[in-house]
Amino acid sequence: MAKRIVVDPITRIEGHLRIDCEIDNGRVTKAWSSGQMWRGIELILQGRDPREAWLFTQRICGVCTTVHAIASVRAVENALSLEVPLNAQYIRNMIIGAHGIFDHIVHFYHLSALDWVDIVSSLKGSPKGAAALGQQLSPWPRNSEQEIRAVQEKLKSFVGTGQLGIFASGYWGHPAMKLSPDVNLLAATHYFQALEYQRKINKVVAILGSKTPHIQNLAVGGVANPINPDSQSTLTIERLFYIKTLIDEIGDFIKNVYMVDVAAIGAFYAEWTQYGAGVTNYLSVPDMPLDTKGTAFDLPGGYIGDGKVGSFKPITGFNDDFFKQGVKEGIKHSWYKGDWDRHPWEEDTVPQHTDFQDNGKYSWVKSPTFNGKPAQVGPLANVLCMYAAGHAPTKTYTDILLATVSKLAGAKVGIAALHSTIGRHAARAVRCAVLHDSLLGQWQSLMDNIGRGDYATFNAPVFPKGEQRGVGFHEAPRGVLSHWVVIQDGKIKNYQCVVPSTWNAGPRNNKDEPGPYEASLLGNPVADPEKPLEVLRTVHSFDPCLACAIHLLDPESREIVTVRTMV
């Protein structure tokens, strides 16, 4: 007889996600994904100046702040057909690249690796053995016995105080954990090192964006970073060379630690290439614009249907009707009034909550479709599309990672293995390396353009009378993010955000087809329904951000808290 389990809330994610599963004979046979809070940001924006929308939308989330700011200014610029100075494109691209690298490192090491790595087991590991293993896998200089021993002593100090600190409440000793103590100890060492490197790369976002989270340098029409080599109060060459130092420092960690660790996890847990594929329609968008009109991109995007890489169709830019006309959202199973399937420009946001209804409405998240079908977004979709497009760095890093997995597993592992739970981690590591290469290229392009005497960073927007419609998209760390704006006489008439976790965490659509989370859980093994570690593995592989998919609004506009700032 099937057993129903409810995981609420899913932890080590952003926001509030509930997952229900029916387990029969040790396998998931049915699943529901439910966002548990409502996002009212679309209503807050109605009637406001489009130039300030990005300041509001990046408050949707405390992690994905930058991505909403970027998508928002692009949406308004698209509505106005406004060009963006080349320097502003490069500065935005550098923020995008640094933020993406930061996000991918945090996701693997600090949010999901603990589904595969048994921290308690690492206490039994041998620092000498772990160091020997690490040095065998890569030339990373910090795989030393001395550094690994120091990490183990730190972990022992947690245990010595009678508690595990941040590692409390894990499924330690779970039968699905299969790494040796030495491997666990090596992974735990990289966990701590990753804290240091994610901080380093996030400094790039803070320097260019004036702060992080919630950058302050964007503007509709460009960025607020004045460039003047003769003034210390602007973006100087000295600051740009410091940024280059930070970018250089992160490169070794990505290629000699992150990619190697993901390959090792993939080889040790090779059976997980058979679980978690789910929806295999993949959607990604091009990013890192290289011209003022946003028609040429460093990173390609497009659509792959039914997992067939050969079916790839590119998305060429912000005005490509293949994307602009292909996106819809439905609310048949979402807590909103009505039952419709509409283009974002035609949507409304009228909440209507009911109880959790298995066959009715059960989530605050809407159900997006692309040309009538559910689609998976995220690093896997992005890497598969870039690979299909012939993007050289993507092909290089994908081949390197698969070759490492094959060597460690002792069997040939091809690109088909990426359609899986573990494949989403592999794709994220590949994308991180690709972003690093692109980040270096964007830095050099900015320096070269400044060297040609171009210091422009802003074009002033002009809002004509009448109605304008625009879309801004961005290939965010969690996948395709798009903001859709309708402007009437210089004010926002309608605004909709279709975010990555809406695509992946959405409930069944208007045809009752399951969303990517739900579909990916079907067939997953569950050794112990009281400790559903395997469910977490697949859900975490998407890097959920329900704070983006949903949010809260007080319609009475009552004051909740007063904050005083000191300058």
Side-chain angles (χ1 to χ4, degrees):
M1 182 178 176
K3 179 183 175 65
R4 176 82 169 247
I5 64 169
V6 179
V7 188
D8 180 21
I10 297 281
T11 55
R12 282 186 274 125
I13 68 166
E14 182 70 13
H16 303 269
L17 172 66
R18 165 179 165 173
I19 295 290
D20 288 42
C21 291
E22 284 186 1
I23 314 293
D24 197 3
N25 289 322
R27 301 274 172 180
V28 176
T29 56
K30 208 168 185 179
W32 294 261
S33 168
S34 174
Q36 292 287 297
M37 289 181 71
W38 177 49
R39 185 187 68 210
I41 198 78
E42 288 88 347
L43 299 184
I44 293 172
L45 289 173
Q46 288 176 7
R48 293 188 180 274
D49 189 323
R51 292 172 296 184
E52 63 184 20
W54 69 274
L55 289 163
F56 286 85
T57 59
Q58 70 169 338
R59 265 72 186 182
I60 285 174
C61 182
V63 175
C64 315
T65 64
T66 299
V67 303
H68 289 291
I70 291 282
S72 181
V73 294
R74 285 178 174 175
V76 179
E77 289 158 359
N78 181 251
L80 302 177
S81 298
L82 179 63
E83 292 190 34
V84 176
L86 210 48
N87 289 329
Q89 296 283 39
Y90 294 142
I91 290 170
R92 290 181 182 182
N93 290 347
M94 290 171 65
I95 290 174
I96 288 170
H99 176 76
I101 292 169
F102 153 80
D103 197 284
H104 292 332
I105 291 173
V106 168
H107 171 257
F108 179 68
Y109 285 100
H110 307 128
L111 300 181
S112 61
L114 300 182
D115 296 338
W116 311 90
V117 176
D118 190 330
I119 289 293
V120 173
S121 163
S122 70
L123 297 175
K124 303 173 187 172
S126 156
K128 185 176 181 179
L133 174 65
Q135 290 160 17
Q136 179 185 341
L137 291 173
S138 90
W140 179 240
R142 297 182 65 182
N143 281 337
S144 67
E145 181 181 341
Q146 182 183 26
E147 182 149 353
I148 293 172
R149 189 179 300 280
V151 168
Q152 191 180 47
E153 292 301 319
K154 183 180 292 186
L155 286 170
K156 285 180 178 176
S157 70
F158 280 136
V159 177
T161 61
Q163 45 84 35
L164 279 171
I166 59 172
F167 301 118
S169 303
Y171 291 145
W172 316 127
H174 192 284
M177 293 282 197
K178 54 190 290 188
L179 300 182
S180 70
D182 284 3
V183 177
N184 283 319
L185 178 56
L186 182 63
T189 301
H190 294 165
Y191 175 104
F192 283 98
Q193 292 174 354
L195 289 169
E196 179 184 336
Y197 288 93
Q198 59 87 20
R199 179 176 57 80
K200 280 182 184 287
I201 197 64
N202 214 12
K203 281 186 179 178
V204 174
V205 180
I207 292 169
L208 293 174
S210 301
K211 72 183 281 284
T212 189
H214 302 121
I215 58 175
Q216 296 296 303
N217 72 313
L218 288 194
V220 171
V223 294
N225 301 84
I227 296 174
N228 182 349
D230 299 322
S231 171
Q232 287 299 310
S233 61
T234 66
L235 183 58
T236 61
I237 301 300
E238 180 185 6
R239 283 196 179 93
L240 285 168
F241 271 102
Y242 178 59
I243 287 171
K244 177 65 163 49
T245 301
L246 295 170
I247 297 170
D248 288 341
E249 287 182 9
I250 198 78
D252 268 359
F253 184 82
I254 294 169
K255 288 153 193 170
N256 290 321
V257 181
Y258 183 14
M259 287 187 63
V260 175
D261 283 347
V262 169
I265 293 288
F268 289 128
Y269 289 99
E271 70 274 18
W272 276 87
T273 60
Q274 305 301 311
Y275 306 128
V279 173
T280 55
N281 302 316
Y282 296 106
L283 178 66
S284 76
V285 290
D287 216 320
M288 304 286 194
L290 301 174
D291 62 358
T292 59
K293 294 182 178 179
T295 57
F297 298 86
D298 191 31
L299 305 179
Y303 178 74
I304 292 172
D306 298 323
K308 299 173 182 172
V309 175
S311 72
F312 172 73
K313 181 174 181 177
I315 293 170
T316 57
F318 297 111
N319 291 316
D320 190 335
D321 278 344
F322 181 54
F323 181 81
K324 288 176 77 171
Q325 303 304 324
V327 177
K328 283 188 176 180
E329 288 192 301
I331 59 167
K332 180 177 180 180
H333 294 285
S334 306
W335 285 316
Y336 297 96
K337 187 176 182 180
D339 178 4
W340 45 253
D341 189 32
R342 295 178 183 168
H343 188 280
W345 284 327
E346 308 298 335
E347 287 186 31
D348 57 35
T349 306
V350 184
Q352 188 174 60
H353 186 259
T354 68
D355 290 334
F356 190 105
Q357 303 168 332
D358 284 3
N359 298 311
K361 292 176 180 281
Y362 61 89
S363 177
W364 283 115
V365 182
K366 296 176 180 176
S367 301
T369 54
F370 188 67
N371 290 322
K373 297 181 179 179
Q376 180 181 157
V377 304
L380 176 56
N382 189 217
V383 165
L384 288 175
C385 287
M386 290 196 292
Y387 193 96
H391 186 247
T394 301
K395 291 179 73 71
T396 297
Y397 290 119
T398 301
D399 293 344
I400 289 173
L401 192 140
L402 290 175
T404 306
V405 176
S406 300
K407 182 179 178 182
L408 292 171
K412 176 72 173 176
V413 177
I415 196 168
L418 297 180
H419 304 289
S420 63
T421 294
I422 204 75
R424 277 185 279 277
H425 288 294
R428 193 170 279 106
V430 168
R431 185 171 188 269
C432 195
V434 170
L435 284 177
H436 183 255
D437 283 6
S438 182
L439 185 51
L440 286 168
Q442 301 297 330
W443 182 88
Q444 189 60 57
S445 296
L446 176 63
M447 294 294 285
D448 292 346
N449 201 51
I450 293 172
R452 287 190 287 269
D454 180 359
Y455 300 158
T457 59
F458 177 70
N459 289 330
V462 176
F463 291 88
K465 288 288 185 183
E467 182 182 285
Q468 301 88 40
R469 296 183 172 204
V471 57
F473 59 60
H474 166 41
E475 186 65 35
R478 291 168 177 82
V480 176
L481 168 66
S482 56
H483 284 206
W484 306 76
V485 64
V486 179
I487 302 169
Q488 180 70 48
D489 297 331
K491 300 293 183 183
I492 294 175
K493 180 181 177 184
N494 196 5
Y495 201 101
Q496 294 292 331
C497 310
V498 185
V499 315
S501 291
T502 307
W503 285 98
N504 290 334
R508 290 158 178 73
N509 62 22
N510 283 30
K511 299 174 185 173
D512 294 325
E513 297 169 303
Y517 287 6
E518 297 174 335
S520 67
L521 286 167
L522 301 181
N524 268 219
V526 177
D528 181 356
E530 299 300 320
K531 296 178 179 177
L533 174 65
E534 301 90 339
V535 171
L536 295 181
R537 283 179 175 173
T538 289
V539 173
H540 281 157
S541 71
F542 287 93
D543 194 7
C545 187
L546 271 292
C548 283
I550 49 183
H551 218 264
L552 191 64
L553 165 73
D554 180 357
E556 304 299 327
S557 300
R558 291 171 295 196
E559 182 176 298
I560 298 173
V561 65
T562 300
V563 178
R564 295 181 63 194
T565 59
M566 305 293 288
V567 179

